[in-house]
Amino acid sequence: MALKKQLLTDLKAAMKAKDKVRKSTITLIRAAILQEEKDKQIDNLEDSDIEAIISKQYKQRKDSLKEFEKAGRDDLIEQTKAEMAIIEDYLPKQLSQEEIGAIVEDTIQEIGAESMKDMGKVMKAIMPKVKGKADGKVVNQIVREKLN
């Protein structure tokens, strides 16, 4: 719940500072949180759920950025990068490749995985450990490298 209050406080500060990009970005995040609460019929989401929503918002911007770069839309590229920087403030610190690699190796040893056939078991065990701290695609890639 602390993250939700932080978003509201930051929204008020952005409004006072007349920071349009920060205000619109936080408003979109809060709208996504509200929608999730309505969908699940809950009054207050846990911080971990809110982090997942924020992470999803970040991932959407990241995907959009690639498309804007392909299309050569410099105006949208700058706006999207600014939004991503704001969203990063609310995400937990992301794990480095080395940290993910260490977690993957430990998990492979725990499970006793030996080949690509065990990929699903390894991913299932790893994802709760790195939830919100690492991109699933990166984890998947590292697991593939370790199991080959």
Side-chain angles (χ1 to χ4, degrees):
M1 179 81 163
L3 192 53
K4 195 173 176 181
K5 286 183 180 177
Q6 180 66 41
L7 284 165
L8 181 60
T9 303
D10 292 351
L11 177 64
K12 289 176 183 176
M15 290 168 119
K16 287 178 183 173
K18 296 188 179 8
D19 185 345
K20 291 180 181 179
V21 176
R22 182 170 288 277
K23 178 187 167 267
S24 67
T25 303
I26 294 172
T27 301
L28 288 171
I29 292 170
R30 292 188 71 235
I33 292 168
L34 261 167
Q35 186 62 50
E36 188 73 17
E37 287 176 344
K38 285 182 180 180
D39 290 348
K40 291 185 176 181
Q41 298 179 346
I42 310 174
D43 286 337
N44 294 312
L45 289 172
E46 297 293 322
D47 275 356
S48 60
D49 295 328
I50 292 173
E51 285 175 358
I53 292 168
I54 294 172
S55 179
K56 187 176 179 181
Q57 293 286 317
Y58 184 81
K59 192 179 255 185
Q60 287 175 349
R61 302 291 189 303
K62 194 174 180 180
D63 293 342
S64 297
L65 186 62
K66 290 176 188 172
E67 296 302 317
F68 296 151
E69 287 171 346
K70 285 180 189 174
R73 296 288 310 267
D74 294 334
D75 55 331
L76 294 175
I77 290 171
E78 291 304 313
Q79 180 182 348
T80 305
K81 284 182 179 178
E83 289 175 358
M84 288 171 69
I86 292 166
I87 293 171
E88 283 174 351
D89 294 342
Y90 300 102
L91 290 173
K93 183 185 170 290
Q94 298 293 298
L95 297 171
S96 67
Q97 295 271 352
E98 293 79 25
E99 292 170 322
I100 296 170
I103 293 170
V104 168
E105 285 181 20
D106 292 344
T107 306
I108 288 173
Q109 289 176 359
E110 284 173 25
I111 294 175
E114 298 173 2
S115 68
M116 287 298 289
K117 290 180 181 178
D118 301 319
M119 175 108 179
K121 292 178 189 174
V122 174
M123 289 298 292
K124 186 176 181 180
I126 290 175
M127 290 314 289
K129 295 178 184 177
V130 299
K131 183 179 179 188
K133 298 176 193 167
D135 184 16
K137 290 179 184 176
V138 175
V139 175
N140 187 304
Q141 180 184 5
I142 293 173
V143 170
R144 285 181 188 277
E145 290 171 6
K146 302 281 184 189
L147 288 177
N148 280 334

